Amino acid sequence: MDHDHVQPSYYITTPIYYVNAAPHLGTSYTSVMADVQARLRRALGYNVLFLTGTDEHGEKVADAAAEHGMSPQEWCDSLVPAFKDLLTMLDITNDDFIRTTEERHTKAVQHLWNVMLENGYVYKGSYDGWYCVPEETYFTDTQVRHADEERGTEGQHLCPDCGRPLEKRSEESWFFKLSAFQEPLLELYRTNPHFVEPEIRRNEVVSFVEGGLNDLSISRTTFDWGIPLPFDGKHVTYVWFDALINYITAVGYGVDAEEFAYRWPANAHLVGKDIIRFHCVIWPAMLMAAGLEVPGEVFAHGFLTVKNDETGEVKKMSKSLGNVISPETVVDLLGVDGYRYYFMTDVKPGTDGAISWGRMEQVYNTDLANSWGNLVSRTLNMSAKYFDGRTPVLPEGWDTEENPLSAIADGLVDRYVEKMGRFAYDEGAAEVMDLVHAANGYIEDMQPWALAKDPVNAGQLARVIGNLLEAIRISAHLLAPIMPRTSPEVLRRMGAEAEVGRDLREACSWGQLPQGVEVTKGDALFPRLVSDDKAQKGDKKKAAKQK
Ligand code: MSP
């Protein structure tokens, strides 16, 4: 692949999703989070590679396929479209979608096996342990005993993670010398304190590694739905070992040295907190064993839980509790941008987030309908009304005059980028919302309708509307990574369509408002939701639209 190597690369990934479970809110949470960062980085001039995909090997998949009377490949092929559709529905701009059953991935995995063998980090042995089929993970006797004791299920041999019954297995296996990497990993966490974010997860990882590392069984002989070892065809690669490699497959590992040099190491792997050991311990050790660089950062987000608005109870989202919320129903209620805004700003990235219908409605109405949407519609209406359907033509020097909005806009892009860049989306959005709130307050303070009564105030009126439009123009740019539909629409309505996709830093300096151009009023960007506890979620939106 040809690249303009002058442009810096920014490579971000999501975990690759298990095809066995249908995509859900948790899955899409990671994808939206990565998409916001990808859009932000593109707007900052990076050449972005945003990768997502599906994790398709393993015994569980083979078993499910058999139950459905399909081959594992057919089964996977039938499930992948749902993942792609969800990405499309949420305006996710992934540049690539990798499937672990693709030829390019087999090649990369087998290449890595050969390198590891050459480097002396894999060896053949035998594995005796307790296997959890649903989790596809082996546990040692000690791990199982401790977990059983803690739970009061002594002697039952239940999975330490999920509590389901384990199977005793003994098989010939290839091992990865993970134990050799304890010191190098601790050194990595010391020298790059941002390698694992947020801090709570870093502490967890560090203490896990300090506790000592065992070698890892990384091949299986009891089933064949996996990638065969290039030098021992009776074995297939353990799913996690296979899955992690997707991050280097996609950038040409072992195939395209130039592409690989440009893209690797990845800047950020986004993962849920449940899979940090794989990403922060095993994966960097694998890379070190292969003589490759480790990624810049692994950011672990929390889990979405569901809060019952009536009882206030917070529970895990699960089918058996009947509280699963599908991404579609939320999009029905809030629209795509509302969905993205809610999850990205109301769930503090890195912590667990209790979501609820009541809270969604509140955030949407307060921030989007009443503040941002209202500011845009009031300002465009006034501009159209007082300036003959156009934006005002401003007096010379207007852009350097002091006013409360330009004061906030000054340095705003830097404050925003610093926060957004470290995934603190709630804080980044709050910076922009400060400007939005100030602009709504400025309307009340300046009372443009009073100024409009006397032609003597024409210059002042133009300044006031000009300042408001300028604050809107800048806010639209800054909100675009989170709300990619409404921001271009706002710019279009204010006659600034040409601004869409501009370099963010350039676009956000005060004083570039297109003057004397036609404005379009348009429908409400975020129609207010009316609360009606009995109404079905989807109906609420209809109710709001009819008002
Ligand atoms: N296939 C592995 C990842 C391999 S990456 C080399 C996997 N897949 S998964 O489909 O089970 O999970 C994918 C992501 O969804 C994980 O980051 C997980 O944390 C996230 N979530 C699953 N349920 C979630 C919530 N309820 N809330 C937020 N994210 C959650 O693990």
Side-chain angles (χ1 to χ4, degrees):
M1 223 178 271
D2 281 341
H3 283 298
D4 170 5
H5 285 209
V6 181
Q7 211 186 351
S9 165
Y10 185 84
Y11 178 26
I12 186 167
T13 66
T14 71
I16 47 171
Y17 301 103
Y18 286 133
V19 280
N20 258 0
H24 51 80
L25 272 188
T27 321
S28 68
Y29 179 74
T30 326
S31 309
V32 175
M33 206 169 159
D35 187 58
V36 170
Q37 195 65 224
R39 288 176 182 270
L40 172 72
R41 299 288 171 158
R42 287 188 199 108
L44 291 171
Y46 289 88
N47 181 330
V48 170
L49 175 65
F50 166 15
L51 176 72
T52 189
T54 42
D55 188 354
E56 306 185 7
H57 288 128
E59 194 170 11
K60 230 184 347 177
V61 176
D63 289 350
E67 272 168 38
H68 289 82
M70 289 187 208
S71 74
Q73 188 67 60
E74 284 167 347
W75 172 238
C76 294
D77 291 350
S78 74
L79 295 169
V80 166
F83 287 86
K84 293 193 169 170
D85 289 348
L86 183 62
L87 298 174
T88 309
M89 180 178 83
L90 294 172
D91 278 356
I92 308 286
T93 55
N94 54 300
D95 301 289
D96 193 356
F97 187 101
I98 189 163
R99 298 182 52 183
T100 52
T101 50
E102 287 168 349
E103 178 65 22
R104 59 172 170 164
H105 186 59
T106 302
K107 281 193 183 142
V109 171
Q110 294 188 333
H111 185 72
L112 191 76
W113 270 112
N114 284 328
V115 171
M116 292 234 184
L117 184 69
E118 240 166 69
N119 294 356
Y121 286 112
V122 293
Y123 63 91
K124 200 168 179 172
S126 119
Y127 195 88
D128 302 299
W130 294 95
Y131 190 68
C132 175
V133 179
E135 302 266 302
E136 320 219 29
T137 313
Y138 266 106
F139 297 95
T140 61
D141 267 331
T142 328
Q143 285 172 314
V144 175
R145 203 179 52 247
H146 283 163
D148 274 337
E149 277 165 11
E150 257 173 42
R151 249 191 323 241
T153 53
E154 283 91 337
Q156 292 186 35
H157 305 114
L158 302 183
C159 172
D161 285 350
C162 72
R164 285 174 278 201
L166 297 164
E167 281 176 25
K168 179 92 182 166
R169 289 193 182 179
S170 173
E171 52 177 302
E172 178 189 285
S173 175
W174 282 82
F175 284 81
F176 170 50
K177 280 191 191 165
L178 183 60
S179 59
F181 293 93
Q182 183 181 23
E183 244 330 290
L185 285 168
L186 292 172
E187 176 67 15
L188 164 67
Y189 311 139
R190 272 194 297 271
T191 51
N192 178 6
H194 298 295
F195 179 72
V196 188
E197 287 284 354
E199 202 182 351
I200 177 177
R201 301 296 161 220
R202 181 161 68 98
N203 296 340
E204 215 176 293
V205 167
V206 170
S207 64
F208 175 76
V209 175
E210 278 172 349
L213 297 172
N214 295 322
D215 288 353
L216 186 72
S217 157
I218 51 167
S219 77
R220 302 285 181 261
T221 51
T222 48
F223 60 91
D224 62 5
W225 183 236
I227 298 178
L229 272 56
F231 44 78
D232 192 350
K234 143 164 134 234
H235 289 251
V236 294
T237 313
Y238 164 52
V239 271
W240 267 102
F241 205 78
D242 162 343
L244 287 161
I245 297 168
N246 91 87
Y247 302 131
I248 51 174
T249 301
V251 291
Y253 177 61
V255 182
D256 185 342
E258 200 191 330
E259 169 77 354
F260 192 73
Y262 179 60
R263 289 297 186 193
W264 194 258
N267 299 74
H269 290 317
L270 275 186
V271 300
K273 65 175 186 180
D274 54 329
I275 54 176
I276 51 172
R277 280 189 199 168
F278 296 102
H279 285 84
C280 304
V281 181
I282 299 175
W283 179 228
M286 285 164 66
L287 291 164
M288 289 176 191
L292 300 173
E293 284 180 75
V294 301
E297 171 178 359
V298 179
F299 186 94
H301 64 72
F303 260 51
L304 299 177
T305 53
V306 180
K307 183 172 171 185
N308 182 312
D309 284 320
E310 271 137 47
T311 62
E313 265 182 315
V314 175
K315 289 199 173 139
K316 207 181 135 184
M317 207 185 317
S318 92
K319 272 191 200 146
S320 54
L321 295 173
N323 63 354
V324 173
I325 299 177
S326 78
E328 289 78 6
T329 39
V330 181
V331 167
D332 268 357
L333 182 69
L334 305 180
V336 171
D337 280 10
Y339 180 113
R340 295 172 58 113
Y341 183 86
Y342 172 73
F343 286 108
M344 292 301 108
T345 66
D346 203 50
V347 175
K348 194 166 181 53
T351 64
D352 289 346
I355 61 165
S356 80
W357 289 109
R359 183 69 192 156
M360 280 180 214
E361 194 171 299
Q362 190 186 359
V363 169
Y364 173 97
N365 278 341
T366 311
D367 289 5
L368 301 182
N370 297 351
S371 301
W372 174 227
N374 199 25
L375 171 68
V376 173
S377 89
R378 284 166 95 189
T379 306
L380 289 178
N381 281 332
M382 290 191 288
S383 190
K385 184 164 170 198
Y386 306 138
F387 299 95
D388 196 22
R390 294 176 175 270
T391 62
V393 175
L394 294 156
E396 193 69 26
W398 74 281
D399 52 329
T400 53
E401 287 167 16
E402 272 185 34
N403 75 73
L405 303 185
S406 66
I408 297 176
D410 186 28
L412 175 58
V413 69
D414 295 325
R415 298 194 297 278
Y416 166 89
V417 167
E418 186 277 322
K419 293 179 164 126
M420 298 292 288
R422 56 182 169 81
F423 299 100
Y425 295 163
D426 55 331
E427 297 173 26
E431 289 282 350
V432 190
M433 291 312 282
D434 278 351
L435 180 59
V436 168
H437 295 314
N440 275 319
Y442 183 72
I443 299 182
E444 300 312 317
D445 292 344
M446 304 313 285
Q447 310 223 337
W449 48 90
L451 292 173
K453 286 191 181 135
D454 189 343
V456 110
N457 298 323
Q460 177 64 355
L461 180 64
R463 280 188 187 86
V464 170
I465 301 295
N467 288 337
L468 286 166
L469 286 167
E470 185 60 349
I472 290 174
R473 188 186 65 81
I474 291 172
S475 304
H477 277 291
L478 295 172
L479 290 171
I482 300 178
M483 296 191 282
R485 289 195 183 181
T486 39
S487 281
E489 175 62 11
V490 169
L491 293 171
R492 194 187 66 75
R493 288 186 188 187
M494 61 191 285
E497 196 162 13
E499 297 247 324
V500 175
R502 270 185 82 189
D503 176 90
L504 190 66
R505 286 183 195 280
E506 279 170 30
C508 287
S509 78
W510 187 267
Q512 306 178 61
L513 179 72
Q515 301 180 28
V517 298
E518 213 171 305
V519 300
T520 317
K521 289 190 264 177
D523 295 338
L525 291 171
F526 301 99
R528 220 186 124 74
L529 296 169
V530 278
S531 222
D532 173 1
D533 291 339
K534 280 176 238 102
Q536 279 301 304
K537 313 300 170 211
D539 291 344
K540 284 191 187 178
K541 177 116 191 202
K542 282 181 220 137
K545 274 192 178 149
Q546 280 157 10
K547 262 198 97 177

